[in-house]
Amino acid sequence: MEEKTPLVPHRNHPKSKALLILELNRLHKFPAGIDLVFWPCAWALAMASYHTSRPFDLFLFDFVLYGVASTLVHSAACVLNDICDKDLDAQERTKNRPIACGAITIKEALGCLIVEVIICLAVLAYMQDLLKFVIGFMGIFPFHGLYPLMKRLAMNWGFVVVWVHLVPDDNCYILPSIFFLGTVCWTIVYDTIYACQDRIDDIKAGNHSTAVLFGDQVKPILSIFAALFVAAFAVAGALNGHSYLYYTITVAGSALHLMWQLVTLRPDVPTDCWQKFK
């Protein structure tokens, strides 16, 4: 059996430690990836603010707060993902990631992760309510704590956290449930597009990503999930009492963007998949 070469830190790595930490947290690609965590928060914030007639100054404060929180959560998930995938990341596209190439040690990555989790817990403490704290903590563990296995739930849990925070006395869970399921469908769309970059390597390594699972039918299958996402947008808007502007800008705009994205997608061209993912 072939022995795996252990990760050895590059003592004379040309990049500074600060830049390597930025790359570990994917902050050098800002806002790519972070926006995918933030959008569910922003949607929940907009819909909950409309539902409760929230003052604009509080809306702006929460907008910034959840923007910072989304950045922290995404960074922590990326660090954890790289720790778990340190061997898988040896493939061509990801071989230069800080942990995979040995520029950042597992110990250093764990230290970074612990700091980010502590800050996330401090943000949750701002809610000053045990139930809200528990629901928010679920986003850290098990969802983001098991991020590689529960990505579709983890990336969208911010919608539930924001809704519970801003609409705590609403006994109707139909709207957030429908919208949350819609965002899961949306995650399958963009995550599969992203995974198409590594489809050849995944097949060789025996990894069963959705890009591999869907095979030649990736575009029609993703079209179904995209349609379900747009439908969830429309139904949630109706339940929340939104005007025609919501359907014209938000629902129709999302439908047109996803249609363009999938019609022009070239799943066998990694650079095109990355451009569509961004």
Side-chain angles (χ1 to χ4, degrees):
M1 182 180 293
E2 183 179 353
E3 294 184 2
K4 294 182 178 178
T5 303
L7 295 175
V8 179
H10 291 190
R11 301 300 179 188
N12 298 313
H13 200 277
K15 296 179 181 178
S16 68
K17 186 66 70 172
L19 181 56
L20 290 168
I21 293 295
L22 285 176
E23 291 185 2
L24 177 66
N25 288 276
R26 307 293 195 276
L27 292 175
H28 65 302
K29 295 182 178 180
F30 183 90
I34 295 170
D35 54 346
L36 301 175
V37 179
F38 177 66
W39 272 116
C41 297
W43 290 327
L45 177 58
M47 298 190 80
S49 296
Y50 182 87
H51 185 82
T52 60
S53 300
R54 192 168 181 78
F56 187 67
D57 58 334
L58 293 180
F59 171 86
L60 286 179
F61 176 81
D62 288 332
F63 188 88
V64 174
L65 174 67
Y66 286 114
V68 173
S70 297
T71 302
L72 284 168
V73 168
H74 177 262
S75 294
C78 288
V79 174
L80 178 60
N81 187 72
D82 282 8
I83 292 173
C84 295
D85 289 351
K86 63 182 185 298
D87 296 323
L88 293 176
D89 282 345
Q91 62 189 25
E92 185 64 29
R93 186 180 64 83
T94 55
K95 66 181 182 181
N96 290 322
R97 286 179 175 175
I99 295 178
C101 73
I104 292 287
T105 66
I106 297 297
K107 183 177 180 180
E108 289 170 330
L110 284 172
C112 180
L113 179 62
I114 290 171
V115 170
E116 289 168 345
V117 170
I118 290 173
I119 298 174
C120 286
L121 292 174
V123 173
L124 287 177
Y126 157 75
M127 295 183 177
Q128 298 180 343
D129 182 279
L130 181 60
L131 176 61
K132 297 175 186 176
F133 182 89
V134 170
I135 291 175
F137 184 78
M138 287 175 63
I140 299 175
F141 188 86
F143 295 145
H144 274 97
L146 300 175
Y147 171 77
L149 302 176
M150 306 183 72
K151 184 184 297 184
R152 279 116 186 137
L153 296 178
M155 295 292 283
N156 301 295
W157 193 245
F159 185 92
V160 177
V161 175
V162 175
W163 186 268
V164 171
H165 178 208
L166 300 181
V167 195
D169 300 323
D170 191 348
N171 294 320
C172 180
Y173 298 105
I174 297 176
L175 189 159
S177 298
I178 290 176
F179 203 104
F180 178 72
L181 291 175
T183 60
V184 172
C185 293
W186 173 62
T187 302
I188 292 173
V189 173
Y190 70 69
D191 188 53
T192 302
I193 292 174
Y194 183 85
C196 282
Q197 297 177 96
D198 302 321
R199 183 152 58 175
I200 295 176
D201 288 329
D202 284 343
I203 292 173
K204 292 178 180 177
N207 298 331
H208 302 292
S209 67
T210 50
V212 175
L213 178 65
F214 297 162
D216 294 335
Q217 301 301 311
V218 63
K219 291 177 70 170
I221 291 175
L222 291 187
S223 296
I224 295 173
F225 283 109
L228 290 172
F229 168 60
V230 173
F233 244 131
V235 173
L239 293 173
N240 210 35
H242 284 283
S243 69
Y244 72 93
L245 288 175
Y246 172 85
Y247 296 95
T248 303
I249 298 173
T250 305
V251 179
S254 298
L256 288 173
H257 175 75
L258 287 166
M259 186 182 302
W260 163 82
Q261 198 173 39
L262 293 173
V263 167
T264 61
L265 175 66
R266 292 178 291 170
D268 295 323
V269 181
T271 53
D272 184 67
C273 295
W274 171 249
Q275 289 300 320
K276 295 299 190 299
F277 174 78
K278 288 200 300 180

